[in-house]
Amino acid sequence: MTATLFPVARPGTPERSATPQNRNRDMQLMPETLSRARMQDFLREVDSERVARRVVTARRMQRKAERASLRARRALARTVMY
């Protein structure tokens, strides 16, 4: 068996020249990856803002319902008193 200076590609394994091509492809895909990450951040931010708006609206509606309940109690108390 003789040793060779250059590795011979075996079936089922990538060739040595595939590494620079993969690096080039990765470099070309970096803007796409970056934009995908930015879009995910944007969607997370929009979702958290949506949740915050729902909480604010729910609190506002709760205060409104409490005021209506208090008005109803006062009206009932006035009718009972007279």
Side-chain angles (χ1 to χ4, degrees):
M1 187 168 182
T2 60
T4 59
L5 296 175
F6 302 104
V8 177
R10 295 184 193 122
T13 60
E15 296 180 15
R16 288 190 131 205
S17 63
T19 304
Q21 290 174 354
N22 285 342
R23 270 188 50 205
N24 288 339
R25 193 185 86 211
D26 290 344
M27 293 296 285
Q28 289 173 353
L29 294 178
M30 282 179 80
E32 182 180 335
T33 305
L34 179 61
S35 66
R36 187 175 291 124
R38 290 179 69 187
M39 183 58 79
Q40 287 174 350
D41 287 344
F42 174 75
L43 291 176
R44 261 187 250 116
E45 184 179 337
V46 167
D47 192 39
S48 67
E49 288 176 5
R50 185 180 305 131
V51 170
R53 261 187 268 129
R54 282 185 180 174
V55 168
V56 168
T57 303
R59 287 181 182 164
R60 188 180 306 131
M61 291 174 66
Q62 182 180 6
R63 287 193 301 266
K64 186 176 180 179
E66 287 171 355
R67 286 192 302 266
S69 174
L70 186 58
R71 280 194 306 268
R73 281 185 183 177
R74 287 179 183 159
L76 182 63
R78 275 192 297 254
T79 58
V80 172
M81 293 291 263
Y82 295 108

